[in-house]
Amino acid sequence: FDGRQSTFKVCCMTLVCDGCIAAAEKRGMNDCPFCRAPWPKKSETISMIEKRVDAGDPMAMFHLGNHYNNGRHGLEKDVARAIELYERATELDSKEAHLNLGCLYRVGADVEQDRAKAIRHFEAAAVKGDTLA
């Protein structure tokens, strides 16, 4: 996946190609080209993701973890909560969450550096097909 050419849509928890979004907008479609749901308001983003987390969606756990890890969408930065969400997502086979945990433990900026944990998470992400791991 190339995050520079795709946009994450909270309505369906899916990465959608930016070209598909542009083509849909060109045809006058003002909704998600993947699930056809209307674009959510920014104020609805976190509640939509939290609903999907409660339903056990690993992609939602990963993205909510990112928001806590970076203090986005009005959430205060909380790396412990991010790690908790990433770990839940890894239990459900999220390669993206494995990669982020590997990065957190390798760098050790907001969490105690742990080379063994970093390697374990990078290996798990690689086995699942993550090319960055």
Side-chain angles (χ1 to χ4, degrees):
F1 120 83
D2 185 349
R4 296 169 295 178
Q5 297 177 8
S6 306
T7 302
F8 178 73
K9 297 298 174 192
V10 297
C11 47
C12 52
M13 298 291 140
T14 303
L15 281 170
V16 179
C17 164
D18 289 340
C20 296
I21 294 169
E25 288 173 352
K26 188 175 181 179
R27 289 191 306 261
M29 296 171 55
N30 294 319
D31 52 12
C32 176
F34 186 78
C35 71
R36 304 291 188 237
W39 299 120
K41 298 175 186 151
K42 281 202 173 226
S43 61
E44 299 171 330
T45 300
I46 294 300
S47 65
M48 289 179 80
I49 296 173
E50 286 173 337
K51 282 182 188 176
R52 296 295 294 255
V53 167
D54 293 342
D57 184 332
M59 189 58 76
M61 293 171 195
F62 166 72
H63 281 282
L64 188 57
N66 283 344
H67 294 321
Y68 275 109
N69 190 32
N70 298 302
R72 284 188 278 174
H73 289 285
L75 295 174
E76 196 169 313
K77 184 171 179 162
D78 184 347
V79 177
R81 176 73 173 129
I83 289 172
E84 176 188 324
L85 288 160
Y86 290 151
E87 287 176 348
R88 283 179 58 198
T90 63
E91 292 169 7
L92 298 169
D93 288 333
S94 169
K95 66 184 176 189
E96 297 87 359
H98 273 297
L99 181 66
N100 279 20
L101 283 169
C103 291
L104 282 170
Y105 287 121
R106 186 191 84 223
V107 173
D110 295 311
V111 65
E112 185 176 335
Q113 190 173 30
D114 188 328
R115 186 175 162 94
K117 280 185 181 179
I119 290 170
R120 182 171 54 88
H121 285 293
F122 285 140
E123 286 176 345
V127 165
K128 292 178 187 331
D130 193 303
T131 57
L132 296 175

